[in-house]
Every structure is written in structure tokens, then in C-alpha cells.
Amino acid sequence: MKKKEFKAESKKLLDMMINSIYTNKEIFLRELISNSSDALDKLYYLSLTDTSLKVNKDSLEIKIEIDKEKRTIKIIDNGVGMTRDELETNLGTIAKSGSELFKEQNDKQKDMEIIGQFGVGFYSSFMVAKEVEVLSRSIYESDANLWKSSGEDGYTIESSKKDTNGTIITLYLKDNTDDNNYDEFLETYTIKRIVSKYSDYIKYPIKMEVEHEEEDKDKKKKTVKKEETLNSMIPIWKKKKSEVKEEDYNNFYTDKFYDYEKPLRIIKSEVEGLTSYQALLFIPSHAPYNYYTKEYEKGLMLYSKGVMIMDKCADLLPDYFSFVKGIVDSLDISLNISRETMQEDRQVKLIARNLETKIKKELETMLKDDRDNYVKFYEAFGEQLKYGIYSSYGMNKELLQDLLLFYSSKEDKLITLSEYVSRMEGDTIYYASGESIDKIKMMPQVEEVIAKDKEIFLLTNYLDEFVIKTIGEYQGKKFMNVSDTNFDLSSDEEKENLKKINEENKDLLALMKTVIDTNVKDIRFTNRLKNHPVCLITDGEVSLEMEKVLNQMPNGEKISASKIMEINEAHPISKKLQELYKNNDKETLEKYTKILYQEARLIEGLSVENPSEVANLICEILSK
Ligand code: ADP
């Protein structure tokens, strides 16, 4: 029998397929099962119009048989089958578009999941098989044909016999190598795993004989073979919400997404129109251990017609909602989609946009009706929302700002910006930031605000202040750090008084300034402190907290906040300084200044710059 060559294009493609190294060879089974499922579909639809075809819908099925001795896998269906001509055209060429895409992709061989995104179909069997036989009988013929190929060197077709319509594909597995153990595909559990991973929702049963241990009458164990259906057929997201118990959704989530806790929220969405899809999304109750690292991969599972085409489709989720898990099933997405074409795909974009709105709505509902869980959510993923605002330079602020929570000094819990604004007076939203709530509450400036019965946000997350700066203004209200030089709650009279004090002590302050000239921009007396002798405030964009954060960043430029030291004019230290100045004791005044400045740094949670010098100075003064 004469061997026929594959068409030139197919040949090249086949060659690439066989000789490239892919990690997920297992998808060959998905492709063959999908083909069988298509063949069953075709038969069923033909039977709707052609009454001569007697088809019992319940008999349509796919079977998998493994033979360990012969090292073969058979995929069997009772679908439409193929005529000789069809075998020739269908299996002798590869769809052109598919091959183009494949070539494009193949330049980047490092992308391991390459095949996972293609409907390269039938040819993927050559990744695991050294020889493939296709025995097929068309529904319209009584004879069958056998197509055979061992890859690159072409194929043969000969007449054959088969009792019923349909197709039997036999794969003769490749020999094992050091790198590849093809025998694994002869294990029942491997087949079960692959079917449930990719083909669980194929709507026809996928059956296989599976060995079970049973006890006979005499309690002797023996192995019996039983036919099992490997796929669950109807995906949970295709079932009506009323038909599914919450527990089923939860189990589905924990199984599919390897979580040990049930999700906080389940989002179900079904859309028909410009694009049609079903989505089943989950908001986890806690962040995965690697969530805030580079290792974490966002994405939703993408299915097309019940077949999984991508495990983690990143383009369906914006970064700020990267915590969402779930599944999207769409008729409109082609099996041929790749990671590269994904971003360009209109359908994917449309679905992604819809889902974003849906997720946002769900979070808003949770915030409104289920506050405790929302706080739980926020504690796990709030940082990601903040990052979403900050990293987009505020582009997403309208979308995300109302989902943020900050700690309120008044309520001692997390509240929203709108809750703050709803009960505020004036047009300034106050905040202070530091390491912990307790530490911030003890900050001199904060004490003053709380004493005056004003609400203030206490910010402890390193991103908080950056986010607030990015938001800039909320409902026309400006934000102000109480450590900022512009912050002033005093009355006009108090202001006037203070001005006078500073004026009178101008020379003293100027002298002190020369001592710590490189560290501070200014030194002055203040009336805002209660018990503390000194404090540091900042002038300009960078606050002390921001300075700390920025300077911790690897490779970041060292950044310094513009600092002003304020001395409590009502504190005894103030009199002492004035006295030293009057007595012209410059030397002691210098020492006092150095100590006071380091003390101010300590109060603000900054480190002492030159500990041993300061320690010696303190001791010297104590000894006097
Ligand atoms: P695709 O499925 O993407 O069209 P394939 O290379 O997987 O590409 O298959 C090529 C064609 O071969 C199919 O479109 C179909 O017409 C035919 N075919 C493959 N497997 C079967 C089968 N089990 N029964 C009937 N026809 C099949």
C-alpha cells in the first residue's frame, strides 16, 4: 500500500509538535475526547432532521480502554464516524489558522503551557504515541476504513470492518525515555485525573472499566472490573442556583481551588447578548500564603463548551481583583486562543469588563449588608485594592475608593471614607500614620486632635498614606496629615500669642538651628503639644512615615522628609532653653538642642542617628 504524505504545512507542524518538549502532553486526551464529543453532537443533530437515522440519545457515549500489555489507549465513540474521503481530508491536513497560530507560538518555546491553549486537536496524539490508528465507520456507510500513521512519514488508509458507526482511535504509546514516562498514561488514576481536569463537563458520559476490590461470599477479596463514568457531565455553573445547595458550591470551590476554608462570597453570573457566558466566581476568606508575592498567579479558569482551555486566564481579572477565583464558560471563545491573542480578543475584554463590574457590586453589597465578613475580606485583600489605586496613579480611584476602610480614632474600628465624611465638620479629613494604633494614639499631634474631639484616621499600613495622597480629594474634602506643618487647630488668639513667642525668641531659635542645620528646616515653639516637650512635623509631600517606607525599598533612592522641630512653649524645657540663652551658655544650649532633636525622632518612631554621642551627652547632663 502506498504511503501518502501529509500536506506540506501539516508536515512541518507535525514535526514541531512531535519534536518540541511540552510539559503537558496530557492534553492529547482532552483533544481526542473533544473530537469524539463533537462527533456525537453531529450525529445527534443530524438525527433531528434525518429521520432515517435512528439515534437513541442515551446511548451516545465515549469509552476509554487501556491495555497495559500492548501499551495502548483507545478512545471510542459511537458518533457520526468518517468516510474514506473524510479521513483523508480531516486527518491529512491541519486547519490553516491553527497552524499559523501554532507557528507564531512556537517561536516562544519556553511557554510551557503552549498546547494547553490550542485546539491542535488530533495531532497532539503524536506527543505520546509512536503510532496512531483511526478505525472509523460513517453513519452513511456499511464499510469502515482504517487510517494509520506513525507521524512525520505520512499515513495509509485501507478498507476495514466495523460493526457499528463511530470511531476507534488507538494510540500505541511511545517508548519510555529518561525524561518521559509514557506508561503513566496506562494508569487508571492518571486517566481519571486528566478527564476530570479537562473534560469533566463534556455532556456525554466518558466511561472506563475500572478495577475494584470486592469481597465474595467467603469474604475473600477479589478484583472485579466495573464500568465507571469518569465525568460529572453537568457543570455546577450550568445548574440553576435554586438547584444547587450552598454546600455544593463550597465543596466545588474547596476542591477546585485547593482551599481548606469555604469562600466568603459566591458570585454567579449568566450573560446572554453581545457575548454569552456563565461565570461562577468566589471571594476567598483568606489570602493564599503566596498572595503578596511574585509567585502568585491571578486568573480564572476558562472553559469553552464544557472543555477547559485555560487554567488561569489572567486577562479576565484586573490586578486589583486578583484574589478572585472562579470559572468562566463561554461559547464565544475559540479553542484556538493563546496567551498572546487573548489580550486582543474582543470577547475576552468584554467578559473581563462585565466581571469587574460584577465583582465590585458584590463587594459593595458585602460592605453594606455583611460588614463583619467584609472586614475579614478587607484584612486579607485590602492591600491589593489600595495597590490598585496607588499603582494606577489614581486612575482607578473612582472605582475602588469606596471599598477602602481605614481605622477611625472615634470608633476604634475600620470605617469607610464616606462614613467619615458623613459626620465631619469642615472640609479636612485628618489622618496620622505610624507603626501601630497604640503608637499613633500617643503621638503628640494626635493627642491634640483626639482631645478636641475630632475624628482622625489612624493609618498603619505602609501603603495607606500613598493611597491617600493618590486619592487627593474625596467628595470635595481634602486630606491632611496632622504632622503636617499646615495643620493647626488653634484659635486666632492662640495663633497671635504663639507668633509673639516665636518672634521674641528668634535669636535663640536661630542659634539652635545652626546646631542641627542639616537635619531640620526650621525650629519653632508650638502651643499644640500637651505633655510632650518636642515633636517633629513635616513640610511638603513626604511625611515621616513615607520617608520610612520609601527608605526601606530595595534600590530606592534615599528620600528625606522636610522636617520642622517644634518645642512645647508651655513645657519647663522651654523656659530652660530661654534661660541658657540669656546666660549666654552656648555650649550647654548646643547639647540640649542635640538631645531634644534625637528625642523628637524617637517620639516619631525614627531611629536615633548617633546613639553613642547622644547617650554620652545625656549622661553628662544627668551628672551635673
Ligand atoms: P479540530 O477538532 O480542531 O477541527 P482535529 O485535528 O482535532 O481538528 O480534527 C480534524 C477533524 O477530524 C475534525 O474536525 C473532525 O471532522 C474529524 N474528526 C476527528 N476525530 C473524529 C471523531 N472521533 N469522529 C469523527 N470525526 C472526527
Side-chain angles (χ1 to χ4, degrees), residues 31-32 35-36 38-39 42 77 80-82 90-91 119-123 167 169:
E31 297 299 328
L32 296 181
N35 283 350
S36 289
D38 288 346
K42 283 178 200 160
D77 67 67
V80 274
M82 282 175 277
N90 292 341
L91 306 185
V120 282
F122 175 75
Y123 291 90
T167 303
I169 300 197

Side-chain angles (χ1 to χ4, degrees), residues 31-40 42 75-83 86-87 89-95 98 118-124 134-137 166-169 335-336:
E31 297 299 328
L32 296 181
I33 289 175
S34 294
N35 283 350
S36 289
S37 172
D38 288 346
L40 295 169
K42 283 178 200 160
I75 290 94
I76 304 166
D77 67 67
N78 50 359
V80 274
M82 282 175 277
T83 62
E86 282 167 341
L87 278 169
T89 42
N90 292 341
L91 306 185
T93 6
I94 298 174
F118 283 91
V120 282
F122 175 75
Y123 291 90
S124 60
V134 181
L135 175 62
S136 197
R137 186 179 138 184
T167 303
I168 301 176
I169 300 197
L335 273 168
N336 287 333

Side-chain angles (χ1 to χ4, degrees), residues 200-294:
D200 202 30
Y201 309 118
I202 292 287
K203 57 179 181 284
Y204 303 100
I206 303 167
K207 294 179 177 170
M208 185 164 73
E209 300 244 292
V210 176
E211 288 186 350
H212 286 274
E213 287 226 321
E214 260 184 20
E215 281 183 3
D216 62 12
K217 272 178 266 153
D218 310 324
K219 299 252 168 201
K220 262 204 207 143
K221 283 202 173 130
K222 58 171 187 181
T223 335
V224 289
K225 282 194 167 180
K226 265 194 189 162
E227 196 172 62
E228 259 185 40
T229 299
L230 306 185
N231 54 331
S232 58
M233 292 186 275
I234 303 182
I236 192 164
W237 59 87
K238 292 232 158 134
K239 293 182 186 163
K240 288 208 191 83
K241 216 173 176 177
S242 56
E243 287 169 9
V244 185
K245 291 198 283 286
E246 178 159 335
E247 195 190 329
D248 296 332
Y249 282 128
N250 289 343
N251 288 340
F252 173 78
Y253 166 79
T254 47
D255 275 6
K256 203 97 187 172
F257 300 103
Y258 312 108
D259 198 349
Y260 51 87
E261 262 180 60
K262 62 179 189 160
L264 273 186
R265 214 73 188 183
I266 301 163
I267 309 172
K268 203 169 177 300
S269 166
E270 187 160 354
V271 172
E272 265 170 54
L274 217 52
T275 177
S276 302
Y277 65 86
Q278 282 130 337
L280 180 60
L281 310 182
F282 302 91
I283 298 177
S285 62
H286 62 113
Y289 73 96
N290 64 352
Y291 186 63
Y292 289 106
T293 70
K294 273 202 211 101

Side-chain angles (χ1 to χ4, degrees), residues 172-428:
Y172 294 84
L173 289 186
K174 287 186 182 180
D175 300 330
N176 295 324
T177 63
D178 288 346
D179 297 331
N180 288 300
N181 175 24
Y182 297 98
D183 280 350
E184 69 171 313
F185 298 117
L186 297 168
E187 299 297 339
T188 311
Y189 60 81
T190 310
I191 300 293
K192 277 184 159 180
R193 179 184 62 77
I194 302 175
V195 170
S196 94
K197 180 171 177 188
Y198 298 101
S199 312
D200 202 30
Y201 309 118
I202 292 287
K203 57 179 181 284
Y204 303 100
I206 303 167
K207 294 179 177 170
M208 185 164 73
E209 300 244 292
V210 176
E211 288 186 350
H212 286 274
E213 287 226 321
E214 260 184 20
E215 281 183 3
D216 62 12
K217 272 178 266 153
D218 310 324
K219 299 252 168 201
K220 262 204 207 143
K221 283 202 173 130
K222 58 171 187 181
T223 335
V224 289
K225 282 194 167 180
K226 265 194 189 162
E227 196 172 62
E228 259 185 40
T229 299
L230 306 185
N231 54 331
S232 58
M233 292 186 275
I234 303 182
I236 192 164
W237 59 87
K238 292 232 158 134
K239 293 182 186 163
K240 288 208 191 83
K241 216 173 176 177
S242 56
E243 287 169 9
V244 185
K245 291 198 283 286
E246 178 159 335
E247 195 190 329
D248 296 332
Y249 282 128
N250 289 343
N251 288 340
F252 173 78
Y253 166 79
T254 47
D255 275 6
K256 203 97 187 172
F257 300 103
Y258 312 108
D259 198 349
Y260 51 87
E261 262 180 60
K262 62 179 189 160
L264 273 186
R265 214 73 188 183
I266 301 163
I267 309 172
K268 203 169 177 300
S269 166
E270 187 160 354
V271 172
E272 265 170 54
L274 217 52
T275 177
S276 302
Y277 65 86
Q278 282 130 337
L280 180 60
L281 310 182
F282 302 91
I283 298 177
S285 62
H286 62 113
Y289 73 96
N290 64 352
Y291 186 63
Y292 289 106
T293 70
K294 273 202 211 101
E295 274 74 56
Y296 181 81
E297 253 188 277
K298 68 164 180 171
L300 298 176
M301 280 192 173
L302 184 60
Y303 277 77
S304 173
K305 300 175 201 124
V307 180
M308 190 187 84
I309 51 177
M310 209 181 271
D311 205 10
K312 279 187 178 149
C313 176
D315 295 300
L316 287 172
L317 283 180
D319 277 343
Y320 41 86
F321 291 156
S322 64
F323 46 82
V324 175
K325 303 273 181 199
I327 276 177
V328 173
D329 191 349
S330 172
L331 286 176
D332 303 327
I333 299 217
S334 87
L335 273 168
N336 287 333
I337 204 151
S338 75
R339 282 196 201 287
E340 274 72 28
T341 52
M342 184 71 67
Q343 284 183 333
E344 302 304 318
D345 194 282
R346 260 190 66 242
Q347 301 296 340
V348 175
K349 275 193 190 148
L350 219 63
I351 297 176
R353 215 171 312 133
N354 286 353
L355 292 180
E356 173 178 312
T357 314
K358 191 87 190 163
I359 296 166
K360 190 192 166 194
K361 274 219 182 95
E362 189 71 24
L363 291 174
E364 281 170 345
T365 312
M366 185 163 39
L367 175 60
K368 221 168 85 215
D369 305 337
D370 191 6
R371 185 70 170 236
D372 287 350
N373 271 332
Y374 188 81
V375 169
K376 199 169 171 199
F377 155 77
Y378 191 78
E379 276 162 357
F381 302 112
E383 201 166 306
Q384 193 63 14
L385 300 180
K386 292 176 200 168
Y387 192 69
I389 294 184
Y390 173 62
S391 64
S392 69
Y393 306 102
M395 243 155 56
N396 301 318
K397 75 173 187 181
E398 292 300 325
L399 182 87
L400 299 173
Q401 62 188 4
D402 285 315
L403 295 174
L404 299 181
L405 298 178
F406 297 107
Y407 196 89
S408 152
S409 62
K410 243 190 192 154
E411 296 204 22
D412 269 319
K413 62 174 199 192
L414 294 165
I415 64 163
T416 63
L417 291 174
S418 104
E419 282 160 352
Y420 183 108
V421 168
S422 71
R423 56 186 179 231
M424 73 188 281
E425 285 165 12
D427 51 14
T428 310

